[in-house]
Amino acid sequence: QGARKVRLDGDLRAVLLEAPGRCVPYAVIEGVVRSVKDTLSSQFVENCKGVVQRLTLQEHKMVWNRTTHLWNDYEKIIHQRTSTTPFDLVPAEDDAGVTVRVMKPLDAAELGLETVYEKFHPSVQSFTDVIGHYISGERPKGIQETEQMLKVGTALTGVGELVLDNATIKLQPPKQGMPYYLSSLDFESLLQKQESSVRFWKILTVVFGFATCAVLFFLLRKQYRHHREQQHLRQMQEEFRQAQERLTGTEGGEVLKNACVVCLSSTKSCVFLECGHVCSCHECYQALPKPKKCPICRQSITRVVPLYNS
């Protein structure tokens, strides 16, 4: 959005002469591709000339996924060659008065190469090959051959550093590290595409931000509950220690042998029948849930006999 839009006309040289250092650090310029010297000819299409040519051989095969137990498509570039020749941007009208030399076109993003030839060569497989592919977990489908070119006469939008070097106007990657674009889209379409991309990443950032906050909240909540449980456990241990001290009369003394196994603060005063265990005081026996069972052997208590210590 901050790039300066300049026109490819006779006033361009004057604009660069007035700019500091004869340079516009980030500019937008639109023109038509024209070769400087020789052009690149397509290997498969007659009378197809260009300035950038890319030949690609891509392998297509199916790979067995042992986790999902499904065959998945797999693509791999086994060979790629890119050739370039120097080219200029010229006005769409037949005005050869001013040209802009495009530098390092392969470093540019959004370089839209047109696919001029594409052919798929399927692999020929025998029955033995099919068995071997099932055993190895890979089934080759074939080789795809593609030729892409930036044709002469293509309308191109360049976004980068515009500099006047002696008598040559050059469009090159910006020194400040800003993105360098060469796109077959017009400037408005290119800007809308970048804004859509930025909007998508903003939405994705917000979604992941909310997800991170939710996970952090649940982790803190779990940690808080664990802290409360540990605090409650320490409180129970402290109450148990104080009960032991009350039974012994002095801290660290011997615990009373006839203390109730439930509360540890009163003496045993009940005999449970029919099991015959003497383990509880009368208050703790009353607090046992119904049907009442012996705390030692878990047998049902049919009747209780008071115990009198002499």
Side-chain angles (χ1 to χ4, degrees), residues 33-36 51-52 85-89 100-102 105 150 156:
V33 174
R34 188 184 69 179
S35 176
V36 175
V51 294
V52 179
T85 186
F87 66 95
D88 293 338
L89 291 181
V100 174
R101 181 69 50 84
V102 179
L150 179 60
L156 206 63

Side-chain angles (χ1 to χ4, degrees), residues 5-246:
K5 192 170 184 178
V6 296
R7 293 179 58 85
L8 186 55
D9 54 19
D11 297 332
L12 179 59
R13 188 178 300 273
V15 171
L16 291 175
L17 287 173
E18 295 176 358
R22 296 185 177 184
C23 171
V24 178
Y26 209 45
V28 179
I29 192 165
E30 297 178 350
V32 176
V33 174
R34 188 184 69 179
S35 176
V36 175
K37 295 181 181 178
D38 299 331
T39 57
L40 302 174
S41 300
S42 171
Q43 294 187 5
F44 305 98
V45 182
E46 294 183 0
N47 300 322
C48 183
K49 305 290 185 179
V51 294
V52 179
Q53 182 186 48
R54 179 172 294 162
L55 299 172
T56 305
L57 291 178
Q58 191 174 34
E59 180 186 14
H60 293 258
K61 61 182 178 180
M62 304 287 288
V63 178
W64 176 255
N65 191 320
R66 291 181 175 84
T67 304
T68 61
H69 298 283
L70 295 173
W71 289 96
N72 299 327
D73 290 326
Y74 178 77
E75 300 176 358
K76 179 184 178 182
I77 295 177
I78 57 179
H79 178 73
Q80 188 175 76
R81 186 186 69 190
T82 304
S83 304
T84 62
T85 186
F87 66 95
D88 293 338
L89 291 181
V90 300
E93 300 79 10
D94 294 333
D95 182 10
V98 60
T99 61
V100 174
R101 181 69 50 84
V102 179
M103 310 300 294
K104 299 180 179 180
L106 298 183
D107 293 346
E110 303 288 338
L111 181 60
L113 301 180
E114 180 182 350
T115 301
V116 297
Y117 176 81
E118 188 174 15
K119 186 176 181 180
F120 184 77
H121 303 275
S123 59
V124 179
Q125 303 176 11
S126 63
F127 180 75
T128 306
D129 295 332
V130 172
I131 299 299
H133 297 155
Y134 273 97
I135 295 175
S136 63
E138 293 186 0
R139 289 164 45 190
K141 297 170 63 177
I143 303 295
Q144 184 174 0
E145 189 176 13
T146 307
E147 182 182 23
Q148 297 174 301
M149 296 190 71
L150 179 60
K151 293 182 179 180
V152 174
T154 303
L156 206 63
T157 300
V159 183
E161 183 181 74
L162 204 60
V163 60
L164 178 60
D165 185 9
N166 296 327
T168 306
I169 302 175
K170 296 181 179 180
L171 178 68
Q172 58 191 15
K175 295 183 178 64
Q176 291 81 1
M178 292 177 288
Y180 179 41
Y181 293 103
L182 288 175
S183 175
S184 57
L185 300 174
D186 59 88
F187 177 65
E188 298 299 330
S189 301
L190 180 62
L191 188 61
Q192 291 177 3
K193 183 177 180 180
Q194 301 304 317
E195 289 176 347
S196 300
S197 177
V198 170
R199 192 179 305 113
F200 168 76
W201 285 108
K202 284 182 178 179
I203 294 174
L204 197 64
T205 302
V206 171
V207 170
F208 274 97
F210 277 113
T212 303
C213 291
V215 172
L216 185 61
F217 171 77
F218 284 111
L219 289 177
L220 291 177
R221 185 181 178 185
K222 184 178 180 180
Q223 188 69 21
Y224 174 73
R225 287 184 174 179
H226 178 71
H227 175 71
R228 289 290 301 272
E229 291 176 357
Q230 292 294 327
Q231 188 177 11
H232 181 64
L233 179 61
R234 286 193 296 268
Q235 184 179 358
M236 292 178 61
Q237 291 175 345
E238 181 64 23
E239 293 177 354
F240 181 76
R241 187 185 63 80
Q242 293 176 359
Q244 285 184 328
E245 290 179 358
R246 286 197 299 269

Side-chain angles (χ1 to χ4, degrees), residues 280-308:
S280 172
C281 63
H282 184 73
E283 290 77 8
C284 291
Y285 163 74
Q286 295 292 336
L288 290 176
K290 294 182 180 179
K292 297 182 183 298
K293 294 183 179 181
C294 175
I296 302 299
C297 63
R298 308 303 298 166
Q299 290 189 19
S300 298
I301 301 174
T302 57
R303 59 194 181 100
V304 178
V305 177
L307 177 66
Y308 300 98

